Amino acid sequence: MTTSNAGRTHASRRRRPALLAAIATLAFAGATALPVLALATGEAGHPAATLEEGFTAAAAEYRVPRQVLLALAYQESAWETHAGRHSTDGGYGPMHLTDVTPAMMVAGEAGAAGRGDLAKLAAAPALHTLRTAARLTGLSAEVLRDDPAANIRGGAALLASYQKAATGTTSSSPGDWYAAVARYSQSTQRRGAAAFADRVFDVMRKGTHRTTADGHRVTLRADGEVRPATGQLDALHLKAEETPPAECPATVACSFVPASPANGQVSNRPANGIRIDSIVIHDVEGSYDGAIAAFQKAGAAAAHYVMRSSDGAVTQMVPTKDLAFHSGNYPTNMHSVGIEHEGYAAHGATWYTEAQYQATAEMVKYLAARFGIPLDRRHILGHDDVPGPKSSLVAEMHWDPGPSWDWDHFMSLLGAHTERHGVGPVGSVVTIAPGFRDNQQTAEICPADDPTGATKECTREQQPANFVHLRTEPAATAPLFGDQAVHPGAAAGTDRINDWGGRASAGQQFVVAGQDGDWTAIWYSGAKVWFHNPHGRNTTQACDVKVVKAAGASPVAVYGTSYPDADEYPPGLSPSAQAPLSMYTVPAGQAYVATRAPDRTDDFFPSTGTVVTGSKAMYTIQYNHRVALVYASDVTAQDTHG
């Protein structure tokens, strides 16, 4: 098993909710199971040694029907504890009590690094239910985070407070808790709150059981007689906004379910001047239904669309005019549409079905036609192409949809046909084109890479892949290139499935830096790297692309964001800040492909609807496995025509 950064850190934080296919559960980042502490007491006055006793005690203390509390916790966490560790959307414990910090907004899908309004982003009440539970129970926030039994008490107290606010009293009848359960969702929209409550009551009616990761067996017996008092929803005075029509082509089965408003920002793209210039392909590391349920929870994560594996059905969750927090990089969120796919990157080839590919292709063509997005890999990105917004976050950026997404087939469905294979002279541009089915690559898959639980120990598997390995010298025995962020100190790369740093994927374009027999060199991540390319079989020659080089003798700074300068913000708006990615530069003499014409820097403030546009422009370049940004004034640009 590798001990690289890619193995230790990157894998453990790979996706925001790791949504299991069978249940809408949350995987807690890097969590280690801890025992339930004895803060709650059982019916006989003894410490609650099991989760079931904890639920029983908390239900009795706050006069919440036990099956309501169990069903609610199941919907929130599948009864997992992982005490003291928060989910990647800021929820703690079985009751998913939230306490989102600015740091979580920086490292999460909001990608809010450098934003001047960071504190405001993290201040939404829906993101801080743990603090309310602390006031209601008299327990400290630390105890509610660390002790699962206390966490259950906090959730019960919170739910009881919602019940009293809605109806004036508690009730022994489970059906009378509909409004309280709906409010627990923290949704400000009537439809979203009702959908959450309906799922909780559906669990009550059907019953369920499971053994948690730390060995607690929990059972919720079916109660087919539960009749939720849905009319109580009026007492919450939620927004009864009409559901907008789904923005989808007529060729796909599409519906609209709103994500939590906390998981994005209302905007008016592109009418307000915020361009939409790219589409980002994700996989959700879980089920279709689980993704929809998770995006409805306040936690700063949502995509515009979710695609089902079995038949290509589509659920839109954020209007395209609005920003969705999906990419982990705020400027990318500003300028893109995010499409999530049911599936798991470690087993992508078995989840990414033909129906899903075809439906996604129809969606992408529809969106591209609406917003003028070119149908090429410079504008149709994977989440693994998105840059880290600041240096400390680069290594932990997501690697989905992973090596098993068949870019060759998908782009062919978009009408982008592979040109004749070959490779040109030094200084020319190649497009990586290894194919997929016949491009067999070996990868190490470890338990941390696989939320399905099917991988019990690190194993090496050979499977079709969308990339070529990059090496430090033109030889199969040479070390794999190690990305500077993932492998600091010039350590070699690995063939771990999540180690994106030493791979070039289908459709990416690079400048040829050398030839040695069957090996081709390219400029990549500030270095000269090599891949096996006999007779140019893994590349096509690219034409009509723009290549940029350092304008002088000094290395050019590389960025992950594109904000205006501080003095370009109007009074009253807090400027966002950016700094170069410390591990990367474009050295003098190297050349990189610009993915589009330079764009002016910009920023957005949803509280006023203000779009700030700077005077400087930045190129987006294919820098390594990910794109990056450089100031246009720092480079010279030249068109190549093949």
Side-chain angles (χ1 to χ4, degrees):
M1 176 177 178
T2 180
T3 57
S4 69
N5 280 0
R8 290 197 308 268
T9 304
H10 187 197
S12 66
R13 297 192 67 257
R14 186 193 166 308
R15 298 290 296 144
R16 45 182 182 278
L19 301 160
L20 301 182
I23 52 175
T25 185
L26 295 168
F28 290 69
T32 301
L34 298 176
V36 176
L37 303 182
L39 283 185
T41 56
E43 293 179 347
H46 298 295
T50 69
L51 276 182
E52 286 213 345
E53 289 183 16
F55 281 112
T56 300
E61 181 178 2
Y62 291 99
R63 298 181 180 179
V64 180
R66 184 175 181 273
Q67 61 264 55
V68 173
L69 198 59
L70 279 167
L72 178 62
Y74 182 83
Q75 185 63 40
E76 290 284 27
S77 69
W79 301 320
E80 292 292 347
T81 59
H82 299 303
R85 303 284 182 149
H86 64 79
S87 69
T88 49
D89 57 357
Y92 290 86
M95 302 306 297
H96 194 254
L97 298 175
T98 56
D99 198 17
V100 173
T101 65
M104 293 179 197
M105 298 292 287
V106 167
E109 303 303 13
R115 290 198 58 82
D117 60 351
L118 185 56
K120 184 180 293 185
L121 282 175
L127 303 180
H128 298 282
T129 59
L130 186 140
R131 299 286 173 175
T132 304
R135 290 193 296 271
L136 291 169
T137 60
L139 299 173
S140 69
E142 291 72 22
V143 168
L144 290 170
R145 294 188 193 105
D146 294 341
D147 185 333
N151 186 274
I152 296 169
R153 284 184 65 195
L158 193 65
L159 186 65
S161 74
Y162 295 160
Q163 175 71 5
K164 292 173 184 176
T167 68
T169 185
T170 57
S171 170
S172 60
S173 173
D176 289 340
W177 287 73
Y178 188 83
V181 171
R183 185 174 172 187
Y184 200 97
S185 72
Q186 307 305 317
S187 177
T188 59
Q189 298 177 338
R190 183 182 180 96
R191 185 177 180 187
F196 176 84
D198 289 343
R199 288 193 295 271
V200 172
F201 277 87
D202 188 56
V203 172
M204 267 186 268
R205 281 190 292 268
K206 295 178 180 177
T208 190
H209 60 84
R210 70 183 298 261
T211 300
T212 65
D214 49 0
H216 288 277
R217 178 73 173 177
V218 184
T219 299
L220 173 60
R221 292 183 176 82
D223 185 353
E225 302 302 316
V226 172
R227 296 291 182 267
T230 56
Q232 292 180 348
L233 206 58
D234 293 338
L236 301 183
H237 305 293
L238 299 172
K239 295 178 183 177
E241 298 174 347
E242 291 186 11
T243 301
E247 302 169 271
C248 296
T251 50
V252 300
C254 195
S255 60
F256 189 97
V257 175
S260 168
N263 298 346
Q265 293 175 333
V266 174
S267 185
N268 191 27
R269 307 181 306 170
N272 61 358
I274 298 177
R275 69 187 183 279
I276 300 176
D277 60 20
S278 57
I279 297 168
V280 181
I281 303 296
H282 305 255
D283 89 79
V284 77
E285 291 301 281
S287 72
Y288 179 71
D289 291 335
I292 294 168
F295 293 162
Q296 288 180 285
K297 296 178 183 177
H304 291 90
Y305 297 92
V306 184
M307 314 294 293
R308 189 158 64 195
S309 177
S310 60
D311 59 1
V314 185
T315 294
Q316 184 178 6
M317 302 200 70
V318 179
T320 57
K321 72 179 184 64
D322 297 337
L323 279 67
F325 292 159
H326 64 95
S327 77
N329 183 303
Y330 188 86
T332 301
N333 290 337
M334 280 181 64
H335 299 296
S336 67
V337 175
I339 303 179
E340 287 278 4
H341 293 77
E342 179 179 33
Y344 299 87
H347 305 288
T350 62
W351 280 90
Y352 304 147
T353 64
E354 184 60 22
Q356 199 177 44
Y357 277 122
Q358 292 190 11
T360 303
E362 292 297 303
M363 279 299 314
V364 168
K365 286 188 289 186
Y366 163 81
L367 294 167
R370 280 187 63 192
F371 301 118
I373 301 172
L375 292 172
D376 57 44
R377 282 283 278 123
R378 287 173 282 179
H379 299 83
I380 313 301
L381 307 176
H383 197 178
D384 53 344
D385 295 320
V386 175
K390 69 175 187 176
S391 300
S392 62
L393 298 177
V394 174
E396 298 186 10
M397 291 296 287
H398 298 170
W399 55 279
D400 60 298
S404 293
W405 180 262
D406 189 345
W407 282 111
D408 188 60
H409 176 54
F410 181 65
M411 296 307 294
S412 73
L413 292 173
L414 299 181
H417 301 292
T418 301
E419 303 296 330
R420 191 172 191 177
H421 281 79
V423 58
V426 170
S428 65
V429 175
V430 290
T431 303
I432 304 300
F436 185 73
R437 294 296 168 191
D438 295 330
N439 182 39
Q440 298 285 324
Q441 299 286 358
T442 299
E444 182 183 45
I445 302 176
C446 292
D449 308 321
D450 181 11
T452 69
T455 303
K456 303 301 182 184
E457 59 184 16
C458 293
T459 57
R460 298 178 65 77
E461 298 181 8
Q462 189 176 70
Q463 53 185 243
N466 59 23
F467 67 89
V468 293
H469 278 300
L470 303 174
R471 299 187 180 274
T472 56
E473 299 291 341
T477 56
L480 292 168
F481 177 75
D483 180 86
Q484 300 94 310
V486 181
H487 301 282
T494 72
D495 62 5
R496 179 81 173 266
I497 196 168
N498 66 353
D499 192 349
W500 48 265
R503 297 173 184 158
S505 291
Q508 294 179 333
Q509 294 180 318
F510 300 95
V511 177
V512 175
Q515 293 279 5
D516 189 335
D518 289 342
W519 292 79
T520 298
I522 54 176
W523 298 120
Y524 180 98
S525 205
K528 185 177 183 179
V529 299
W530 298 84
F531 63 96
H532 196 231
N533 193 29
H535 308 292
R537 74 182 185 194
N538 290 321
T539 55
T540 62
Q541 296 185 57
C543 57
D544 298 323
V545 296
K546 191 177 293 291
V547 171
V548 301
K549 301 178 180 180
S554 300
V556 170
V558 171
Y559 295 82
T561 54
S562 52
Y563 295 125
D565 290 349
D567 60 5
E568 295 180 307
Y569 285 78
L573 295 180
S574 299
S576 299
Q578 64 185 18
L581 299 177
S582 60
M583 69 290 294
Y584 298 142
T585 64
V586 173
Q590 296 188 10
Y592 292 84
V593 174
T595 64
R596 59 181 71 97
D599 295 306
R600 289 170 66 185
T601 57
D602 58 0
D603 204 350
F604 176 59
F605 292 84
S607 58
T608 60
T610 303
V611 178
V612 180
T613 303
S615 60
K616 295 179 180 178
M618 300 186 83
Y619 279 108
T620 300
I621 62 172
Q622 184 67 65
Y623 180 69
N624 48 26
H625 189 86
R626 302 183 182 277
V627 298
L629 295 112
V630 294
Y631 281 105
S633 58
D634 290 343
V635 298
T636 59
Q638 179 180 353
D639 292 321
T640 63
H641 301 288

